[in-house]
Amino acid sequence: MARLEVLSCSAPVGVTLQLLCMLHTCASFGSWDKTLKVWKLSDLKCLESIKVHDDTINGLVASEGIVYSASADGKIKGWGKEGKNSQGLKGILEGHKEVLINLVIVSEDGKWVYGGGSDGFMMGWEGSMNFESWKLVNETKAHQMVVLRMCQMGEFLCSGSVDRSISIWKREVYSKLSKVGVISGHEGLVKCLQASPSNICGGFLLYSGNLDKSIRVWWVPKNTVNRDDHDTSSMESAVKSSSIMLC
């Protein structure tokens, strides 16, 4: 078991606690100072502050009792409760060499973990919650530039990039990801993505935000047919959008 370095719960001056995830009765924060901080929600007491990576923490998500952290050091780490108030390292998922990992998402059943890299690749791991059988099963060149954000809705994954586009992917047999569409419309890099269920024809809503100061809402039908990877159409017949411009 890796030795954990426990630090102060207070954030250094100028350091922002930029990432948040909730797990049971605690809230976990990740920061540019490479630490994971855990607070008890009932009394807002900081339980611990741990240096968990060798570089900036870029992504944080909780699933089935495990907190996953993604970092610019090229690793995704899984953290679980050990004892009453402490977190222990459960496992490490390695990305591409010398490539930053900007995000991490986990499937609802906890069997799939995906990360997005600074080389434009999406990487997928399949395994069990105990980290004993995790293996890299998918490496997909998703964008020509950095992958900044990802989200998922059932068997569909969505990726947003510095190249201003959003790609829609469907998980197929044998862990393959097939591109089913590309959405364009933002004038800057895609900074935020979030999917939400919709009762409209069995599809889902996709919310995207970026540096052009807009939030766009897209409707994605689940019966979207597979498209060629070189088809960069904006899915005009399949995706409807509306834009809310910020004041």
Side-chain angles (χ1 to χ4, degrees), residues 141-158:
K141 181 65 173 178
H143 295 271
Q144 294 304 311
M145 301 178 73
V146 178
V147 179
L148 283 180
R149 290 292 179 265
M150 288 177 62
C151 66
Q152 60 183 335
M153 178 57 59
E155 61 188 354
F156 288 89
L157 283 82
C158 308

Side-chain angles (χ1 to χ4, degrees), residues 46-78:
C46 182
L47 300 179
E48 61 182 331
S49 179
I50 314 165
K51 183 178 179 180
V52 295
H53 284 280
D54 296 325
D55 208 329
T56 303
I57 300 176
N58 292 328
L60 203 65
V61 67
S63 176
E64 301 292 332
I66 302 293
V67 174
Y68 298 84
S69 58
S71 172
D73 64 12
K75 298 181 178 67
I76 294 174
K77 294 184 178 182

Side-chain angles (χ1 to χ4, degrees), residues 117-137:
S118 59
D119 58 355
F121 273 82
M122 293 193 309
M123 292 158 285
W125 292 265
E126 182 181 11
S128 59
M129 299 303 298
N130 58 16
F131 275 87
E132 293 180 357
S133 60
W134 283 95
K135 60 180 179 179
L136 181 64
V137 295

Side-chain angles (χ1 to χ4, degrees), residues 27-40:
S28 297
F29 292 83
S31 175
W32 288 345
D33 66 0
K34 312 170 189 176
T35 65
L36 176 68
K37 300 178 187 291
V38 182
W39 270 272
K40 187 177 180 181

Side-chain angles (χ1 to χ4, degrees), residues 1-2 93 101 109 130-131 139 142 146 159 197 203 211 223:
M1 185 60 62
L93 304 177
I101 296 184
D109 58 10
N130 58 16
F131 275 87
E139 297 175 82
V146 178
S159 61
L211 297 186
N223 61 351

